[in-house]
């Protein structure tokens, strides 16, 4: 069965600091997808990135970067020069290509609450 | 604008009552999903539907029911059989094709409180 672990429950940083959110996953499939979502206080989940298991290139998008390492089953998320608007709960999620009856179910970690202090 | 709407945003229910949460999407997505989120927890899948008139139980379906009579709509009923219904409920949808199926778009959520 697939599993996603976000060991950091809560993190607090001072504005402009860099912060890395950890995500470790378990899956028996060789083909799978990994995701990061942001949940601001309003509650809606905002999609940040999708990565498939065959693409281990790291990705950078503005102040956000993602480090995917299959060898350690990790998909970590770094925010550079954090801002107060980054304060939110961040979820890592995993989807196996054929997870149960042809569906594409997402398995979520429990989330990391990030607080950026001005 | 295309998107997913959920209503109401806040819902209060007395114990023993059934209540229905609305989820509508105009993204022309085939698949729709219902998740439950409890404080400090990730999202857990209640039900999902890959096509009209078909739906499947997720990990925590007991005490819930759904219908999928139209592509755009996937209402969730929280029945009196659900032992602890107070939670935040999120609806999502995803488009056709392998890549798109794996990218779920979420609605703004409904916060249900049982009094």
């Amino acid at each position: 069965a697939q599993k996603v672990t976000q060991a950091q429950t809560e993190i607090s940083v001072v504005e402009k600091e860099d912060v890395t959110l950890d995500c470790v996953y378990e899956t028996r499939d060789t083909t799978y997808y990994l995701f990061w979502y942001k949940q601001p206080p309003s509650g809606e989940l905002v999609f940040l990135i999708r990565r498939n298991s065959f693409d281990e290139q790291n990705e950078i998008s503005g102040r956000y970067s993602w480090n995917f390492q299959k060898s350690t089953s990790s998909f970590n998320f770094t925010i550079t020069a954090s801002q107060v608007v980054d304060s939110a709960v961040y979820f890592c999620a995993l989807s196996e290509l054929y997870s149960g009856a042809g569906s594409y179910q997402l398995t979520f970690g429990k989330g990391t609450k990030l607080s950026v202090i001005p | 604008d295309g998107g997913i709407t959920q209503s109401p945003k806040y819902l209060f229910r007395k114990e023993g009552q059934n209540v229905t949460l609305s989820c509508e999407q105009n993204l022309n997505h085939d698949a729709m999903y219902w998740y439950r989120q409890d404080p400090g927890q990730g999202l857990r899948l209640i039900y999902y539907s890959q096509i009209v008139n078909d739906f499947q139980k997720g990990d925590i379906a007991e005490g819930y029911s759904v219908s999928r009579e139209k592509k755009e709509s996937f209402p969730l009923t929280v029945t009196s059989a659900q032992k602890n219904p107070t939670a935040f409920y999120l609806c999502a949808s995803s488009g056709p094709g392998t890549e798109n199926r794996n990218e779920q778009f979420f609605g703004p959520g409904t916060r249900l409180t049982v009094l």
Side-chain angles (χ1 to χ4, degrees):
Chain A
Q2 53 192 38
K3 182 180 176 182
V4 176
T5 301
Q6 293 180 256
Q8 304 150 309
T9 306
E10 291 192 43
I11 300 177
S12 290
V13 298
V14 177
E15 200 171 20
K16 297 184 184 174
E17 285 184 349
D18 299 347
V19 58
T20 295
L21 310 182
D22 298 333
C23 173
V24 174
Y25 61 92
E26 295 176 27
T27 177
R28 286 177 287 191
D29 271 14
T30 55
T31 304
Y32 52 89
Y33 293 81
L34 293 162
F35 302 79
W36 276 96
Y37 285 88
K38 174 182 180 180
Q39 187 177 42
S42 61
E44 184 171 349
L45 257 70
V46 178
F47 168 82
L48 295 177
I49 189 171
R50 176 185 63 202
R51 172 68 70 226
N52 75 53
S53 52
F54 296 111
D55 182 2
E56 286 193 71
Q57 262 194 326
N58 291 331
E59 180 153 341
I60 297 175
S61 175
R63 296 184 298 106
Y64 295 170
S65 63
W66 290 270
N67 181 266
F68 176 29
Q69 295 202 348
K70 285 178 79 169
S71 60
T72 55
S73 297
S74 65
F75 187 44
N76 296 338
F77 172 32
T78 297
I79 302 174
T80 303
S82 59
Q83 301 176 0
V84 173
V85 293
D86 296 326
S87 296
V89 179
Y90 291 87
F91 290 97
C92 180
L94 165 70
S95 173
E96 294 173 339
L97 185 60
Y98 298 110
S99 56
S103 68
Y104 299 86
Q105 297 177 36
L106 284 174
T107 297
F108 285 83
K110 293 189 176 182
T112 297
K113 183 178 180 181
L114 174 64
S115 298
V116 181
I117 304 164
Chain B
D1 282 0
I4 302 174
T5 56
Q6 290 185 242
S7 60
K9 189 174 176 68
Y10 298 96
L11 188 56
F12 297 90
R13 188 195 93 176
K14 292 182 181 178
E15 276 195 47
Q17 286 181 337
N18 291 358
V19 64
T20 298
L21 282 59
S22 169
C23 177
E24 305 275 333
Q25 54 97 3
N26 60 4
L27 300 167
N28 199 33
H29 284 171
D30 293 314
M32 296 186 75
Y33 312 80
W34 273 105
Y35 292 91
R36 170 183 170 136
Q37 184 180 17
D38 294 283
Q41 301 292 317
L43 280 66
R44 292 182 291 168
L45 183 66
I46 304 172
Y47 267 98
Y48 63 95
S49 168
Q50 297 186 76
I51 196 169
V52 174
N53 292 322
D54 183 60
F55 47 83
Q56 307 293 331
K57 290 181 179 180
D59 299 322
I60 55 165
E62 187 175 347
Y64 299 98
S65 66
V66 293
S67 63
R68 187 85 187 276
E69 297 175 3
K70 298 187 299 181
K71 189 175 185 178
E72 302 80 20
S73 178
F74 191 40
L76 172 75
T77 297
V78 185
T79 75
S80 55
Q82 169 50 234
K83 297 273 189 280
N84 185 18
T86 295
F88 188 54
Y89 291 87
L90 284 156
C91 177
S93 69
S94 61
T98 300
E99 290 284 316
N100 291 333
R101 283 271 179 160
N102 274 282
E103 184 171 332
Q104 294 183 19
F105 294 84
F106 285 81
T110 292
R111 194 167 297 278
L112 173 64
T113 302
V114 174
L115 303 172

